[in-house]
Amino acid sequence: MSSMKEAIDRVKSLTEKLKTSHEAHSSNNSTENGPKSTPVQPYRAKIEKLSGEVVDSNPYSRLMALQRMGIVKDYENIRKKTVAIVGVGGVGSVVAEMLTRCGIGKLILFDYDKVEIANMNRLFYQPHQSGLSKVDAARDTLIHVNPDVEIETHNFNITTVDNFKTFVDRISCVDNFEARLAVNTACNEENQIWIESGVSENAVSGHIQYIEPGKTACFGCVPPLVVASNIDERTLKREGVCAASLPTTMAVVAGFLVMNALKFLLNFGEVSGYVGYNALVDFFPRQAMLPNPQCTDRFCVQRQKENEKVAEPEKVEEIPEEEIVHEENEWGIVCVDESQPVEKPKDNSNSVAEGLKFAYEAPEPQEELPEEIVVPKDSLEELMKKLKSLQ
Amino acid sequence: MSSMKEAIDRVKSLTEKLKTSHEAHSSNNSTENGPKSTPVQPYRAKIEKLSGEVVDSNPYSRLMALQRMGIVKDYENIRKKTVAIVGVGGVGSVVAEMLTRCGIGKLILFDYDKVEIANMNRLFYQPHQSGLSKVDAARDTLIHVNPDVEIETHNFNITTVDNFKTFVDRISCVDNFEARLAVNTACNEENQIWIESGVSENAVSGHIQYIEPGKTACFGCVPPLVVASNIDERTLKREGVCAASLPTTMAVVAGFLVMNALKFLLNFGEVSGYVGYNALVDFFPRQAMLPNPQCTDRFCVQRQKENEKVAEPEKVEEIPEEEIVHEENEWGIVCVDESQPVEKPKDNSNSVAEGLKFAYEAPEPQEELPEEIVVPKDSLEELMKKLKSLQ
């Protein structure tokens, strides 16, 4: 370094390089500088048209092979699809990653939570993302994994938001009742198909449920159907607020959910109505559920009436998850264990497939009852019998 | 900058900072500098003892909750367990991540492949890792996700290696027949329990199979049992070498596999013998398979004899996947559809549960046949009948 000017230029140049270096790595560097989300630079330009070419550099070769093998007629159609994911936690984040890797057109992510180290027992989020909002952390990873997917994020609580008009398809991966009801209400109003999912608090069971307004039971038609635990209820300790979770159960439920969504979006295989997962014994109860004509959601009832007008008996028969068993059933709950031959039940009481149970008792539909009748809160079956006797 | 000395000091300091900055990010920077694996600095020190404390900073709170809820008796026991994963591709990498997030003691990873952009349609690997060996890329991610897990990696083809003596538990996620046979041979010799897994080339089915030498059918006892495709074989195009794959099916199979491994390692629930997954219709065939006394693997036959000596009828009955149906069955193939009541078959022919089929016809066990008898390569059932007639 011979002159002062040269030294000053060198300092300038090095300062600039250091600044560039810090900027380039800032999103990978949040453990040192505190949580900060800077959208990652995509590793490649967007791909205009999907190719089935079998080369190591083609991210779509194994997906386009589905078309060559005759599983999916037009795989590229996936790029025209938008899926909204309400809740990007243990299930939703894996759903988002699966759809991103499958090359979905657009994802709309909703969550109001932050990534915590306590989430590290599930797939997807990384420790250096702790403190970031889940939607920002998810977007950073997903854009990097597949720059072709458009990611829209909303960092708020959906139960306080009623604008669902831009949704095309919905997937629910929420962890509370209020959020499910909010999605249900919006989907009934918008006549929007969605898939509900849930994982039990003891981490060893879960389910997915396909909900088509007016055609299947909505989330408000009947109490939520959950996989029965084989565990003695007396040994199942519930004190404390921390639910257990396992990456296995959540990824299995995410896999079922995305597979069902792909079958629906790309029109292949059979879309399932309800698939349960009991991880303790690897049992998978299935169930079809018809809508309840006395559902308290007025849009659900409206969709049912619209559906009655257009539906013909032959058409209904085409959809296996809607097989009608209890025609006299005023609750409209249909319980078909699809893994078994369908048997006509001896009475009109509602029974659910082996391995399933309702999450709680059905609420009393008081407006339908004469004032002097008091319905005790006993089993759903009892309640149904009493309702029946009133007719 | 008032003096030349000050300027020189500043340049020195900046050069040092730039160097440190580059070093710190070199492992996240492989797209710019070409593939390079530098083990990531763990984000925290190792945790000595797992805590169930419900705080956001505890990575084990949701796992220790399994203990508080009575699902697992001693969850911390998982830290004493070692699992070997042979093949860290679409299934194996997700298995590795799940076990890492569950806090397994040690993982031993085997693979000889490199990460390619063509793998981006499955979970786990990131585009910036393309060009790295799969085991190195996996180790970098896993150490970052959970520094408590010890990761041992082997970047070679296991079919050419015969040293399996250090294994404690094995999990197989390989994608070819030779690798499965190599694991099978080694496990029979070492009397080592392992779990085989597979995903179909059309991406829409898969299975896991628990193999306990001498107690269940080994991989050589019978032709591999795979989930039958509902697809018309004539429409299933097989030309070309590129198999289809989906992140859904692979994550579901990985989830089943790790759940089965956790149940085995931590002694809860029921370890499944065989669980199939038909994603097109969400059907899950199950099957129990007994070992074949005429298995060509001499260690398998030896383990069967050892097992006969110690086994008492009551003991055998405790293990549901080993229920004996065909006592006269010289092949030892036992086919129990566990989701259905077990029925005694009318003849001695082997049948598999609904939704399952053998991957190929059974090989001719020539050393067991008189030279003049020629067994035509028709169905397994025909072959079995012919073998029976020779006795």
Side-chain angles (χ1 to χ4, degrees):
Chain A
M1 225 168 291
S2 55
S3 74
M4 191 68 185
K5 186 178 176 307
E6 210 176 315
I8 289 170
D9 285 350
R10 190 73 196 274
V11 167
K12 266 189 193 159
S13 152
L14 282 168
T15 307
E16 195 56 39
K17 269 190 188 166
L18 194 58
K19 195 177 157 225
T20 313
S21 172
H22 275 305
E23 277 171 5
H25 303 298
S26 60
S27 65
N28 297 322
N29 206 17
S30 51
T31 45
E32 284 165 41
N33 297 338
K36 187 177 7 175
S37 165
T38 311
V40 180
Q41 281 300 307
Y43 76 100
R44 59 166 170 80
K46 291 202 180 198
I47 290 173
E48 280 306 308
K49 188 159 171 54
L50 301 195
S51 150
E53 198 192 354
V54 184
V55 288
D56 289 343
S57 57
N58 179 7
Y60 294 105
S61 58
R62 265 71 165 173
L63 295 165
M64 292 299 279
L66 289 167
Q67 205 171 297
R68 213 177 48 249
M69 287 185 155
I71 303 286
V72 180
K73 204 168 176 188
D74 180 8
Y75 190 83
E76 195 155 9
N77 216 10
I78 199 169
R79 304 189 84 177
K80 297 176 192 152
K81 306 294 179 183
T82 297
V83 173
I85 303 176
V86 183
V88 283
V91 173
S93 64
V94 180
V95 165
E97 182 174 353
M98 286 174 174
L99 287 168
T100 297
R101 292 189 184 260
C102 284
I104 193 85
K106 182 176 175 179
L107 287 182
I108 309 175
L109 309 181
F110 292 84
D111 209 302
Y112 61 97
D113 215 357
K114 282 192 189 317
V115 179
E116 305 289 357
I117 290 297
N119 304 144
M120 291 308 128
N121 69 319
R122 282 95 87 177
L123 299 181
F124 193 72
Y125 293 112
Q126 303 262 341
H128 70 267
Q129 297 179 311
S130 78
L132 287 178
S133 76
K134 283 184 177 169
V135 292
D136 279 356
R139 184 201 53 209
D140 289 356
T141 302
L142 299 175
I143 285 174
H144 181 57
V145 162
N146 189 347
D148 295 330
V149 179
E150 190 185 341
I151 315 275
E152 184 183 308
T153 60
H154 299 280
N155 189 18
F156 55 56
N157 187 337
I158 61 126
T159 62
T160 61
V161 171
D162 59 357
N163 181 12
F164 282 91
K165 297 221 190 286
T166 56
F167 284 4
V168 179
D169 298 292
R170 283 185 181 81
I171 282 183
S172 159
C173 310
V174 294
D175 60 3
N176 65 73
F177 186 76
E178 288 70 28
R180 285 182 172 86
L181 264 193
V183 174
N184 188 63
T185 306
C187 289
N188 280 335
E189 189 172 341
E190 298 292 325
N191 205 6
Q192 174 59 58
I193 291 169
W194 64 293
I195 306 176
E196 193 266 326
S197 70
V199 172
S200 66
E201 289 205 339
N202 65 14
V204 287
S205 68
H207 71 271
I208 63 159
Q209 183 180 347
Y210 169 88
I211 300 180
E212 186 170 351
K215 292 195 178 177
T216 70
C218 84
F219 193 72
C221 278
V222 288
L225 202 60
V226 295
V227 176
S229 165
N230 296 6
I231 302 152
D232 185 342
E233 292 287 332
R234 288 164 299 181
T235 68
L236 194 64
K237 296 154 198 143
R238 289 193 180 278
E239 74 263 27
V241 288
C242 178
S245 61
L246 279 168
T248 52
T249 312
M250 288 187 157
V252 167
V253 169
F256 289 175
L257 201 161
V258 175
M259 200 71 214
N260 219 34
L262 290 175
K263 289 190 285 186
F264 171 75
L265 294 170
L266 300 177
N267 195 26
F268 69 100
E270 285 173 24
V271 176
S272 291
Y274 185 102
V275 186
Y277 172 43
N278 180 331
L280 287 180
V281 291
D282 285 318
F283 182 65
F284 305 86
R286 298 189 52 166
Q287 180 82 45
M289 293 160 85
L290 269 197
N292 172 10
Q294 289 170 316
C295 181
T296 52
D297 185 304
R298 68 186 176 95
F299 284 107
C300 172
V301 176
Q302 185 182 318
R303 300 300 163 217
Q304 291 179 47
K305 283 178 186 157
E306 289 164 9
N307 188 45
E308 273 166 24
K309 280 181 198 158
V310 293
E312 289 164 33
E314 296 75 21
K315 269 202 162 174
V316 172
E317 299 249 278
E318 280 173 24
I319 307 163
E321 63 269 28
E322 291 184 30
E323 202 157 350
I324 294 163
V325 183
H326 309 241
E327 283 184 337
E328 296 296 301
N329 180 345
E330 72 274 30
W331 272 70
I333 310 166
V334 169
C335 310
V336 186
D337 178 357
E338 295 178 352
S339 62
Q340 304 286 336
V342 176
E343 275 179 46
K344 195 95 179 169
K346 285 174 190 103
D347 56 33
N348 273 306
S349 69
N350 279 280
S351 60
V352 295
E354 191 194 337
L356 292 176
K357 64 171 186 177
F358 289 109
Y360 52 80
E361 291 170 26
E364 303 168 31
Q366 294 184 340
E367 64 280 13
E368 297 293 316
L369 297 175
E371 273 178 25
E372 67 273 26
I373 303 285
V374 177
V375 181
K377 282 200 174 177
D378 42 22
S379 76
L380 175 65
E381 197 176 333
E382 282 301 304
L383 189 67
M384 306 286 291
K385 278 184 188 157
K386 280 176 182 136
L387 279 169
K388 187 131 204 78
S389 69
L390 294 173
Q391 293 196 320
Chain B
M1 225 171 292
S2 56
S3 74
M4 190 70 185
K5 186 178 175 307
E6 208 176 317
I8 289 172
D9 285 350
R10 190 75 196 272
V11 167
K12 265 190 193 159
S13 151
L14 283 168
T15 308
E16 195 56 40
K17 270 191 187 162
L18 193 59
K19 195 177 155 224
T20 313
S21 171
H22 275 305
E23 278 172 3
H25 303 298
S26 60
S27 65
N28 297 323
N29 206 14
S30 51
T31 45
E32 284 166 43
N33 297 337
K36 188 179 2 175
S37 165
T38 310
V40 180
Q41 283 298 308
Y43 77 100
R44 60 165 169 81
K46 291 201 180 199
I47 290 173
E48 281 306 308
K49 187 158 172 56
L50 302 195
S51 151
E53 199 192 354
V54 184
V55 288
D56 289 343
S57 57
N58 179 7
Y60 295 105
S61 57
R62 265 72 165 174
L63 296 165
M64 292 299 278
L66 289 167
Q67 206 170 296
R68 212 178 49 248
M69 287 187 154
I71 302 287
V72 180
K73 204 168 176 188
D74 180 8
Y75 189 84
E76 195 155 8
N77 215 10
I78 198 168
R79 303 190 84 178
K80 298 177 190 151
K81 307 294 180 183
T82 297
V83 173
I85 303 176
V86 185
V88 283
V91 173
S93 64
V94 179
V95 165
E97 183 174 352
M98 286 174 174
L99 286 169
T100 296
R101 292 190 184 259
C102 284
I104 193 84
K106 183 177 174 179
L107 287 181
I108 309 176
L109 309 181
F110 292 85
D111 209 303
Y112 61 96
D113 215 358
K114 282 191 189 319
V115 179
E116 306 288 358
I117 290 297
N119 305 144
M120 291 308 129
N121 70 318
R122 283 94 88 178
L123 299 182
F124 192 72
Y125 293 111
Q126 302 263 342
H128 70 267
Q129 296 179 311
S130 78
L132 288 178
S133 76
K134 284 186 176 169
V135 291
D136 280 356
R139 183 201 53 209
D140 289 356
T141 303
L142 299 175
I143 285 175
H144 180 59
V145 162
N146 189 347
D148 295 331
V149 179
E150 190 184 341
I151 315 275
E152 184 182 308
T153 59
H154 299 280
N155 189 17
F156 55 55
N157 187 337
I158 61 127
T159 63
T160 61
V161 171
D162 58 358
N163 181 12
F164 282 90
K165 299 225 188 283
T166 56
F167 283 5
V168 178
D169 297 291
R170 281 185 181 82
I171 282 184
S172 159
C173 310
V174 294
D175 60 3
N176 65 73
F177 185 77
E178 288 69 29
R180 285 182 172 85
L181 264 192
V183 174
N184 189 62
T185 306
C187 289
N188 280 335
E189 189 172 342
E190 298 292 324
N191 205 7
Q192 174 60 58
I193 291 168
W194 64 293
I195 306 175
E196 193 265 327
S197 70
V199 172
S200 66
E201 290 204 340
N202 64 16
V204 287
S205 68
H207 71 271
I208 63 159
Q209 184 179 346
Y210 169 87
I211 300 181
E212 185 169 353
K215 292 194 178 178
T216 71
C218 84
F219 194 72
C221 279
V222 289
L225 202 61
V226 295
V227 176
S229 165
N230 295 7
I231 303 153
D232 185 342
E233 292 287 333
R234 287 163 299 181
T235 67
L236 194 65
K237 297 154 197 141
R238 291 196 179 278
E239 74 265 26
V241 288
C242 178
S245 60
L246 279 168
T248 52
T249 312
M250 288 186 158
V252 167
V253 168
F256 289 175
L257 201 160
V258 174
M259 201 70 214
N260 219 33
L262 290 176
K263 290 190 284 186
F264 171 75
L265 295 170
L266 300 178
N267 195 27
F268 69 100
E270 286 174 23
V271 176
S272 292
Y274 185 102
V275 186
Y277 171 44
N278 181 331
L280 287 180
V281 290
D282 285 318
F283 182 66
F284 305 87
R286 297 189 52 166
Q287 180 81 47
M289 294 160 85
L290 267 195
N292 172 10
Q294 290 171 315
C295 181
T296 52
D297 185 305
R298 68 185 175 95
F299 284 106
C300 172
V301 177
Q302 186 182 316
R303 300 300 163 216
Q304 291 180 48
K305 284 179 185 154
E306 289 164 8
N307 187 45
E308 273 166 22
K309 280 180 198 159
V310 291
E312 289 164 34
E314 294 76 19
K315 270 202 160 173
V316 172
E317 300 247 278
E318 281 173 22
I319 308 162
E321 63 269 28
E322 290 184 31
E323 201 156 351
I324 294 163
V325 184
H326 310 243
E327 283 185 338
E328 295 295 302
N329 179 345
E330 72 275 26
W331 272 69
I333 310 167
V334 169
C335 310
V336 186
D337 177 358
E338 295 177 352
S339 61
Q340 303 287 336
V342 176
E343 275 178 47
K344 196 94 179 170
K346 285 175 190 100
D347 57 30
N348 273 305
S349 68
N350 280 279
S351 60
V352 294
E354 192 194 336
L356 293 177
K357 64 171 186 177
F358 289 110
Y360 53 80
E361 291 169 25
E364 303 168 28
Q366 294 184 340
E367 63 281 13
E368 297 293 316
L369 296 175
E371 274 178 22
E372 66 273 29
I373 304 284
V374 178
V375 181
K377 281 200 175 177
D378 42 22
S379 78
L380 175 65
E381 197 175 334
E382 281 300 306
L383 189 68
M384 307 285 289
K385 279 184 188 157
K386 280 178 180 134
L387 279 169
K388 185 131 203 79
S389 71
L390 294 173
Q391 291 197 323

